[in-house]
Amino acid sequence: RCPSSRPSCRRSYSNVGGALVDMDGKLVGFSVRHSNRVRQGQNSGVGFGATFDQLTESQERLVAGEVIPRRKTPFLGIQADIRATEGPGVRIDRVIDGTAAATAGIKAGDWIKIFNQVEITSFTQLREEIQSLAIGTEIVITIVRDGEEQDIRVELGGRLEND
């Protein structure tokens, strides 16, 4: 029930499983982890939770022993060259075989300048733009290859099973 302006009230990842309480003190759900990947330094004060309605939708399936797979996340299939800072966006260091980027013809050494009509200035921004879309969304990426701009149509895929 603390206002977000008070840093001492910010949630930490160690609070997973704790109560979610609305501003009237009513229990509405539980604190949940929002990713299956461990990252440090993300305690920005933004909390994630699952309401009782969301939990009860799956309760019977879980009690029956069914495994409910996590939601697949959209995935372009690139690794950025984080050392390249002087360029028109984000430089691609590697394209992962079998991904949306590989299928679309994106190559290592390309620069992603515009992603889905958004000018890209950092890999973090690019990742957030990708995550805001759904698997199967068709978008246009403007890349710079050998000094020439070109638009490439890409249908976003899902993160690989072993990733």
Side-chain angles (χ1 to χ4, degrees), residues 6 10 19 22-23 31 34 46 65 77 117 124 131 134 142-143 149 153 162:
R6 288 188 40 215
R10 291 182 175 168
D22 67 14
M23 293 301 286
S31 172
H34 73 283
V46 176
Q117 301 179 339
T124 300
Q131 295 304 308
T142 302
I143 64 162
E149 278 190 21
R153 288 197 174 282
N162 60 353

Side-chain angles (χ1 to χ4, degrees), residues 28-134:
V28 294
F30 294 97
S31 172
V32 297
R33 191 166 140 191
H34 73 283
S35 175
N36 69 329
R37 294 169 181 254
V38 177
R39 293 187 176 99
Q40 294 181 359
Q42 283 194 344
N43 189 9
S44 63
V46 176
F48 294 87
T51 64
F52 290 128
D53 291 342
Q54 293 169 319
L55 296 172
T56 55
E57 287 175 17
S58 302
Q59 183 178 7
E60 286 182 23
R61 294 169 59 194
L62 291 169
V63 168
E66 183 178 341
V67 175
I68 300 173
R70 70 179 176 92
R71 178 185 80 88
K72 286 192 165 213
T73 56
F75 188 60
L76 183 58
I78 62 161
Q79 288 182 339
D81 181 354
I82 58 173
R83 298 172 313 270
T85 57
E86 299 296 322
V90 172
R91 185 176 184 279
I92 298 170
D93 189 46
R94 181 173 94 99
V95 177
I96 301 167
D97 291 337
T99 62
T103 301
I106 295 173
K107 298 179 179 183
D110 290 346
W111 289 83
I112 295 180
K113 182 177 180 181
I114 300 173
F115 179 88
N116 198 31
Q117 301 179 339
V118 175
E119 190 168 348
I120 299 299
T121 59
S122 71
F123 183 69
T124 300
Q125 178 196 19
L126 175 61
R127 184 175 52 224
E128 288 172 358
E129 291 296 328
I130 292 168
Q131 295 304 308
S132 73
L133 300 171

Side-chain angles (χ1 to χ4, degrees), residues 5-16:
S5 60
R6 288 188 40 215
S8 62
C9 294
R10 291 182 175 168
R11 293 187 47 238
S12 76
Y13 292 111
S14 63
N15 290 341
V16 171

